[in-house]
Amino acid sequence: MSKSDIFANLGSIKDKDLSVERISVGKVISYADGIVFTDELQDVQAGELVTFDSGVFGLALNLEKNRVGIIVLSGLAKIKTGDFVYRTGKILSINVSDEIVGRVIDPLGQAEDGKSAIAVGKEMFLEKIAPGVIDREGVNQPLQTGVKAVDALIPIGRGQRELIIGDRNTGKSSIALASILNQKGQDVICIYVAIGQKKSTLAQFIQTLEDKGAMSYTTVVSASASEPASLQFLAPYSGQAVAEYFLEQGKDVLIVFDDLSKHAQAYREISLLLKRPSGREAYPGDVFYLHSRLLERACKLNKENGGGSITALPIIETQANDVSAYIPTNVISITDGQIYLETDLFNSGMRPAINIGLSVSRVGSAAQLKAMKQVSGSLKLDLAQFRELAAFAQFSSDLDSATKKLLERGKRVSEILKQPWDLQMSVADQVLMIFAAVNGYLDEVEVTDLADWEIDYLNFAKSSNPKLVAYLLTGAKIEGTQEEALEKLIKDFKKAHPRFYKKEV
Amino acid sequence: MLQINIASSIPLSDSQKKKLEGSLQKKYQKEELQFNYQIKEELIAGLSLSVGGKLYDASLRARLSQLASKI
Ligand SMILES: Nc1ncnc2c1ncn2[C@@H]1O[C@H](COP(=O)(O)OP(=O)(O)OP(=O)(O)O)[C@@H](O)[C@H]1O
Ligand SMILES: [Mg+2]
């Protein structure tokens, strides 16, 4: 506001605007563990922001006949019994501006990275009704994660909600991180919401984002394990508010919630302290709504509404692969598919440890790039056959040559799905590799040599046929000419690199 | 007994208290009143009075925040 506006406004303020008003207040009765109970605070609404005498903010969550339960959001130490609690008539919002990209903020929108405060932009509500059906359109654009196994077999589209689920230490965060790193130069804003994590883990995560140049399009919302449950509870909604700021500009956004198991636990803690009745696994009755209202806000908007999208990758940690526990089943039913990670696979060296059989993407295939779709069709078939045969082959020693051949193919096909977490593969790289594997060009290479083969072959392709690589990068359909070029490329490579082909088959 | 909480930025003198209590007693004629005094520097100046769940805030702080919200 300009100075002259302020003076114009001052002139229009009447005496009665400044008279003593009768306002509703509550008084703090008890305060413990970040939860305040006050005597009745008339007309307060559920989810309303309230303030205390000391300027501390709280959120009214429980409205009962004679008392109100409030979670305190900041300055926990300053509250005393007998303090007044005031209504603000507002619901919780955070300040978001373009400048928030590249920053680390807490769930209340305050800078956490020791740099200056976020420039004033727009107030974005933490709770918002998700866009309706009329404003949306089907998922129709891919979101490349750069992870072969995901892009080929569990493709994700912009606006989709794909769950990453698995036990501790199975590479869940790594898949999300890889997806963020792969958005470099893709005009996608990324938001990483860390809930209940160790500060040291998060610091390392942010360091990686910085080292790989990903902070220039990423915002981190952090509510680490040492923060009160109230902030951990709010963190995903804050992240979503930031996402919606960019959605309104018609941008594509990728948001990661790492993880919603800890989020549910924070909410359970709050609910128990507020003395709400608890149900299964001591979670409150509305824990489904906690996540459904959050994930419903992921969307792909139609042209009339700007055409932006929010793709959500929620993460859930399971105990002993139990996907039928309460929170996992809830979130599975809310999302459009899941990437299922397993400890056994991880330990056997199959990394990323994705169980292909149990992972699905229900909407992403509509958006998958043509070339990827072409090569991944036979990939799925090869893998399914391999899984079936591998189980069967354990029992019989002498297999006919056709079966042996299928087994050998299967071994190689699943081998090439291995990928270091920090290696982003372009569409062209992925198509080159999968094409070679499913068309049997790897059958004569030792399985143990495949990782080296991949590196050399991809470099060879870039230097000897850059035109083909450029074409593949677009993801366009592979026609006869490209197919011939691909075959020639592999034959030339074989001649140039005989060390991979010692053995005659 | 009706509790009346009176907060002021500086201590009130006895005569000020008497005046205040007299006028409040007039307003709540039939009830027995108990007055609780409290110093709250954050009010800057003036005083605030709360009865039941209602607050009558005649402090400078309240004025300023009203002014701020009108601009
Ligand atoms: N594809 C991969 N190749 C090699 N190592 C990997 C791969 N993916 C993950 N890792 C390693 O496995 C470890 C665990 O990964 P990550 O932290 O992503 O798992 P997580 O499931 O998120 O674990 P947590 O339960 O602690 O959150 C890390 O040290 C990571 O570097
Ligand atoms: Mg993790």
Side-chain angles (χ1 to χ4, degrees):
Chain A
M1 199 188 294
S2 73
K3 258 189 204 152
S4 58
D5 284 350
I6 295 178
F7 283 116
N9 279 345
L10 274 176
S12 68
I13 294 173
K14 309 266 173 352
D15 260 4
K16 70 168 170 41
D17 292 333
L18 301 179
S19 60
V20 178
E21 288 169 48
R22 196 177 87 133
I23 53 174
S24 307
V25 287
K27 217 179 296 153
V28 175
I29 306 171
S30 68
Y31 164 61
D33 306 312
I35 304 278
V36 165
F37 283 103
T38 71
D39 57 4
E40 66 180 324
L41 180 56
Q42 275 173 19
D43 308 322
V44 70
Q45 294 178 321
E48 186 173 332
L49 191 65
V50 297
T51 61
F52 294 86
D53 268 336
S54 45
V56 170
F57 284 99
L59 197 63
L61 278 191
N62 258 33
L63 312 183
E64 295 165 39
K65 194 144 184 288
N66 294 318
R67 61 174 192 179
V68 178
I70 296 168
I71 54 172
V72 181
L73 300 178
S74 59
L76 294 161
K78 289 193 212 144
I79 290 175
K80 302 187 294 294
T81 57
D83 274 2
F84 286 132
V85 185
Y86 308 86
R87 291 185 51 194
T88 62
K90 285 190 274 196
I91 69 164
L92 200 53
S93 62
I94 60 168
N95 167 52
V96 186
S97 59
D98 288 347
E99 217 188 64
I100 209 159
V101 173
R103 304 297 301 273
V104 182
I105 58 166
D106 73 4
L108 300 175
Q110 306 297 324
E112 273 269 286
D113 47 10
K115 295 182 205 153
S116 60
I118 311 295
V120 176
K122 197 172 170 197
E123 288 296 319
M124 299 299 299
F125 294 122
L126 261 64
E127 299 276 358
K128 200 175 159 206
I129 306 284
V133 194
I134 309 292
D135 301 332
R136 299 184 183 227
E137 65 181 19
V139 165
N140 54 27
Q141 233 185 322
L143 185 116
Q144 292 290 125
T145 62
V147 180
K148 262 177 294 188
V150 175
D151 290 341
L153 300 165
I154 323 156
I156 299 173
R158 294 188 180 183
Q160 184 174 348
R161 301 157 301 175
E162 182 78 10
L163 172 64
I164 301 174
I165 186 167
D167 277 8
R168 273 187 52 222
N169 215 35
T170 47
K172 302 183 295 297
S173 304
S174 298
I175 290 194
L177 176 59
S179 309
I180 292 178
L181 296 180
N182 200 51
Q183 301 314 310
K184 197 173 192 170
Q186 301 297 309
D187 206 16
V188 174
I189 301 282
C190 296
I191 297 161
Y192 179 76
V193 184
I195 310 154
Q197 294 187 23
K198 284 191 295 241
K199 278 221 168 84
S200 58
T201 315
L202 182 62
Q204 217 174 359
F205 196 96
I206 294 170
Q207 191 60 48
T208 311
L209 289 175
E210 254 159 24
D211 293 347
K212 304 256 177 186
M215 270 318 264
S216 59
Y217 54 85
T218 304
T219 299
V220 175
V221 181
S222 134
S224 58
S226 58
E227 306 290 349
S230 55
L231 291 185
Q232 295 185 34
F233 154 64
L234 290 175
Y237 302 100
S238 301
Q240 195 68 40
V242 177
E244 278 160 5
Y245 173 84
F246 293 105
L247 177 74
E248 282 177 4
Q249 302 179 359
K251 297 217 165 112
D252 290 314
V253 183
L254 169 67
I255 185 165
V256 175
F257 302 110
D258 195 359
D259 62 66
L260 289 188
S261 301
K262 296 208 184 66
H263 181 236
Q265 283 159 15
Y267 189 59
R268 173 169 65 185
E269 183 181 326
I270 292 170
S271 299
L272 289 172
L273 290 168
L274 284 169
K275 305 196 171 60
R276 290 182 177 178
S278 55
R280 188 174 159 192
E281 293 176 26
Y283 286 104
D286 63 344
V287 74
F288 183 85
Y289 181 53
L290 176 78
H291 291 147
S292 65
R293 73 174 190 268
L294 173 71
L295 294 171
E296 266 304 294
R297 286 158 75 181
C299 60
K300 167 76 186 149
L301 294 180
N302 58 21
K303 292 278 171 311
E304 295 80 65
N305 288 286
S309 69
I310 298 178
T311 311
L313 296 179
I315 295 179
I316 285 281
E317 183 183 303
T318 51
Q319 310 290 331
N321 294 330
D322 184 9
V323 288
S324 61
Y326 192 23
I327 303 300
T329 43
N330 277 355
V331 182
I332 285 174
S333 71
I334 298 164
T335 45
D336 306 308
Q338 70 272 352
I339 296 172
Y340 184 53
L341 302 171
E342 271 182 357
T343 310
D344 288 350
L345 289 171
F346 190 87
N347 290 342
S348 72
M350 186 65 211
R351 299 179 191 180
I354 303 174
N355 181 324
I356 303 292
L358 292 179
S359 301
V360 287
S361 169
R362 298 197 190 95
V363 296
S365 64
Q368 197 175 25
L369 294 169
K370 291 232 163 51
M372 283 302 283
K373 199 171 257 177
Q374 274 176 295
V375 290
S376 68
S378 14
L379 181 64
K380 261 179 223 162
L381 198 67
D382 282 347
L383 281 171
Q385 276 178 339
F386 174 58
R387 271 201 306 276
E388 223 167 80
L389 282 175
F392 170 74
Q394 289 176 339
F395 301 107
S396 58
S397 47
D398 47 7
L399 300 162
D400 61 77
S401 68
T403 313
K404 253 189 209 149
K405 204 156 179 228
L406 277 174
L407 275 173
E408 289 302 311
R409 171 75 53 86
K411 266 186 212 159
R412 285 164 179 77
V413 169
S414 52
E415 183 69 21
I416 63 140
L417 291 181
K418 290 185 186 169
Q419 186 176 334
W421 71 268
D422 58 348
L423 178 78
Q424 278 74 55
M425 292 190 75
S426 67
V427 187
D429 290 349
Q430 298 186 13
V431 172
L432 283 167
M433 275 315 287
I434 299 172
F435 180 89
V438 298
N439 288 302
Y441 292 108
L442 300 183
D443 292 356
E444 44 188 335
V445 182
E446 286 292 337
V447 174
T448 46
D449 285 342
L450 282 175
D452 292 337
W453 192 92
E454 175 172 296
I455 296 169
D456 289 352
Y457 176 59
L458 294 180
N459 283 332
F460 181 80
K462 271 164 216 146
S463 56
S464 62
N465 197 345
K467 235 171 95 190
L468 175 67
V469 173
Y471 180 89
L472 293 178
L473 266 179
T474 65
K477 193 164 176 225
I478 303 169
E479 311 277 4
T481 34
Q482 283 84 40
E483 207 165 320
E484 276 164 33
L486 280 164
E487 280 160 13
K488 182 171 179 304
L489 189 66
I490 297 175
K491 293 208 176 93
D492 291 347
F493 177 76
K494 184 174 172 177
K495 258 181 242 144
H497 295 76
R499 68 182 178 100
F500 290 119
Y501 301 89
K502 284 170 289 203
K503 190 172 68 121
E504 275 310 310
V505 201
Chain B
M1 200 161 22
L2 191 61
Q3 300 282 338
I4 298 194
N5 302 303
I6 299 161
S8 54
S9 54
I10 50 166
L12 297 177
S13 67
D14 283 348
S15 67
Q16 282 171 322
K17 283 185 187 170
K18 220 183 203 147
K19 213 168 142 194
L20 196 61
E21 288 172 14
S23 61
L24 283 165
Q25 194 65 63
K26 230 184 265 164
K27 186 169 156 64
Y28 296 98
Q29 276 184 358
K30 306 221 168 53
E31 285 177 84
E32 200 178 330
L33 301 184
Q34 186 183 334
F35 299 95
N36 310 312
Y37 289 94
Q38 204 185 348
I39 306 295
K40 279 192 181 172
E41 281 177 17
E42 62 266 28
L43 298 184
I44 309 172
L47 48 81
S48 80
L49 197 144
S50 76
V51 186
K54 296 294 171 201
L55 175 77
Y56 303 84
D57 197 343
S59 69
L60 183 57
R61 182 180 68 172
R63 279 306 81 70
L64 289 174
S65 70
Q66 278 173 332
L67 197 60
S69 68
K70 290 286 175 333
I71 288 178

